[in-house]
Amino acid sequence: MKESATIGMSRMARELKAQGAPIISLSLGEPDFDTPQFIMDGARVGMEEGYTHYPPIPGYMDLREAISDKLSSENGVSYGPEQIVVSTGAKQTIANIMLCLLDPGDKVVILSPYWVSYYDIVQMAGGQQVIVEGKLEDEYKVDPQKLDEAMSPDVKAVIFSSPSNPTGSLYTTDELREFSKVFAKYPDTLILSDEIYEYIVFEGEHQSISQFPEVRNNVVIINGMSKGFAMTGWRIGYMAGPEWLAKACTKMQGQLTSGAASISQRASLTALKGPREEVSMMRETFRKRRDLVYEGLSKIEGFDTYLPKGAFYMLPGISKLIGRATPEGEEIKDATDFCMYLLKNANVSTVTGLAFGAPDTFRISFAASNEELNDAIQRISAAVRELK
Ligand code: PMP
Ligand code: GLU
């Protein structure tokens, strides 16, 4: 297995920073806000109430009920607590599902550009990735026709995120309806809909494929607390899907972790039951940063850009820069070389598109302050101008 590229690049940035380099880190997809105070209070109350013991493996019943209520009131879909499993981050949720589902060689269709860990988790579970590519000119969204061509009855699962990491693209209701028509032909395929960026949407509304009755029973919603509530360190994610899968994931995590941390679960219950003002405030801040980054990067000659509709990422195309040379005379052979050039010459850390199945692109996370973003744009612009 490889080290996760998002985590690897962030580690490298941290190490350089520790050595004194003035690094601006735009590699890790993590809100820079601290967790809202009322959520932290929920954790403290939880500890005082004695929630310090092993939790039930799939999560506390009141938390699973709160997730069920959230799915019904905000997403209009009904999943009972017995269909929900709370895990140590959405990353473990996805790993649980793949480990439960896949036998060696089983196919998983991954919509590309994809979040780096989809690919590697499928690998770890012994599955075989089938990549369906969305193109930059279509805001990286996958054509339903191409999806149809990639599907077959032996595909065990399909996975995608909307809003998307790494592109920030958002599928509309009509686009998801087209997908659901394709999926309806494959009743044995699970549709893993990663909705972890649901609250970070700038244009239109987040839509879930679970709303379509023809696929509803095969949809597994993946979500978590990390992004919308700025709770990355608490490590809470969840799935809502068929009961048989929830049972299997419970068995899996009973062997792996004995369930997610009790105190984090109490904080998550407070978060889900609480107001969404801070969630909205963070979204509006991300929107301003999105505008700033879009405007700044669109002016850089050699970058192909588009307007991300959600999440906090942009994945500019850099095909025009491949083959150029650095001032030191080294050829930029691919996106990884480009990112290393930015890291060394501009002190800005980003992530190579190769990690997301999108060669000739790089990912920039705009979960950073306006000051850092402005500075980073200037540094990137200067570094690109120096390429020969
Ligand atoms: N899915 C996507 C698309 C993500 O970007 C992330 C963030 N790393 C995750 C899942 C996992 O999030 P976490 O494990 O923090 O809940
Ligand atoms: N999802 C974030 C990212 O893509 C966090 C790091 C990770 O878990 O990969 O950068």
Side-chain angles (χ1 to χ4, degrees):
M1 268 178 72
K2 300 187 292 292
E3 178 183 25
S4 155
T6 48
I7 286 171
M9 197 62 172
S10 312
R11 178 183 50 72
M12 227 184 290
R14 230 184 330 244
E15 283 165 9
L16 286 171
K17 222 174 189 168
Q19 290 163 20
I23 300 286
I24 300 178
S25 183
L26 305 181
S27 41
L28 193 65
E30 155 162 57
D32 51 326
F33 303 103
D34 289 331
T35 303
Q37 185 61 47
F38 78 95
I39 300 175
M40 296 203 267
D41 293 341
R44 205 187 50 247
V45 170
M47 283 190 273
E48 282 159 5
E49 286 175 351
Y51 285 95
T52 56
H53 299 267
Y54 281 128
I57 304 298
Y60 291 116
M61 182 50 94
D62 53 359
L63 175 57
R64 284 183 288 138
E65 278 166 355
I67 293 168
S68 169
D69 291 347
K70 176 247 175 278
L71 290 170
S72 146
S73 63
E74 294 185 352
N75 308 95
V77 288
S78 134
Y79 290 90
E82 71 289 352
Q83 296 178 278
I84 293 168
V85 179
V86 176
S87 302
T88 304
K91 199 177 251 181
Q92 196 205 351
T93 300
I94 299 165
N96 278 345
I97 296 171
M98 295 301 180
L99 289 169
C100 287
L101 204 60
L102 302 182
D103 286 323
D106 277 350
K107 288 184 191 163
V108 177
V109 166
I110 304 178
L111 271 51
S112 172
Y114 47 77
W115 178 44
V116 55
S117 292
Y118 294 165
Y119 192 94
D120 290 319
I121 291 172
V122 170
Q123 186 88 11
M124 181 172 69
Q128 185 193 329
Q129 306 87 344
V130 179
I131 305 299
V132 191
E133 199 188 326
K135 299 239 178 282
L136 196 156
E137 52 270 31
D138 302 321
E139 294 181 11
Y140 295 111
K141 291 198 269 190
V142 165
D143 179 348
Q145 175 95 34
K146 275 175 81 180
L147 178 65
D148 203 2
E149 285 160 17
M151 291 295 293
S152 57
D154 60 345
V155 170
K156 277 274 174 76
V158 179
I159 185 163
F160 68 101
S161 58
S162 176
S164 155
N165 179 3
T167 66
S169 300
L170 179 75
Y171 283 100
T172 63
T173 315
D174 287 345
E175 288 161 346
L176 291 173
R177 184 179 294 108
E178 292 308 307
F179 279 2
S180 71
K181 283 182 196 159
V182 173
F183 294 140
K185 294 191 268 180
Y186 301 96
D188 296 327
T189 303
L190 280 183
I191 305 150
L192 310 187
S193 173
D194 185 340
E195 305 181 10
I196 198 159
Y197 295 97
E198 103 172 280
Y199 292 131
I200 309 172
V201 170
F202 314 123
E203 248 85 38
E205 264 179 24
H206 161 81
Q207 296 290 338
S208 171
I209 193 161
S210 60
Q211 69 189 274
F212 299 106
E214 60 268 40
V215 292
R216 165 75 182 74
N217 290 337
N218 287 343
V219 173
V220 185
I221 293 179
I222 293 159
N223 207 331
M225 310 306 293
S226 285
K227 312 294 172 166
F229 294 97
M231 291 178 68
T232 47
W234 301 79
R235 311 303 306 123
I236 296 289
Y238 59 85
M239 61 139 280
E243 193 175 344
W244 63 263
L245 186 67
K247 278 192 176 142
C249 288
T250 302
K251 205 191 280 178
M252 181 63 70
Q253 89 178 13
Q255 296 289 12
L256 292 178
T257 60
S258 299
S262 59
I263 299 157
S264 297
Q265 290 196 50
R266 301 322 287 170
S268 301
L269 176 67
T270 311
L272 287 170
K273 290 195 149 189
R276 296 287 188 268
E277 270 97 33
E278 274 155 290
V279 169
S280 307
M281 183 278 291
M282 291 189 269
R283 178 183 55 240
E284 291 315 308
T285 307
F286 285 131
R287 181 200 303 279
K288 289 187 195 122
R289 295 168 177 180
R290 187 273 314 251
D291 292 344
L292 190 156
V293 164
Y294 172 70
E295 208 190 302
L297 296 190
S298 297
K299 285 187 193 140
I300 298 178
E301 222 182 299
F303 281 7
D304 293 313
T305 55
Y306 61 98
L307 188 69
K309 304 286 192 308
F312 34 67
Y313 307 105
M314 185 167 175
L315 194 76
I318 50 163
S319 57
K320 292 170 202 146
L321 301 177
I322 304 296
R324 307 259 293 260
T326 67
E328 293 77 34
E330 282 164 27
E331 188 190 346
I332 302 280
K333 291 183 293 304
D334 57 22
T336 308
D337 284 353
F338 180 73
C339 291
M340 292 314 292
Y341 171 65
L342 287 187
L343 184 64
K344 288 184 189 142
N345 292 50
N347 283 314
V348 177
S349 76
T350 55
V351 184
T352 170
L354 286 159
F356 309 110
D360 300 356
T361 69
F362 75 107
R363 190 189 78 173
I364 187 158
S365 156
F366 45 85
S369 69
N370 285 5
E371 200 184 0
E372 282 179 307
L373 292 173
N374 273 321
D375 198 0
I377 291 165
Q378 277 178 19
R379 292 191 200 178
I380 294 172
S381 177
V384 170
R385 273 200 307 274
E386 282 188 26
L387 291 175
K388 292 184 276 250

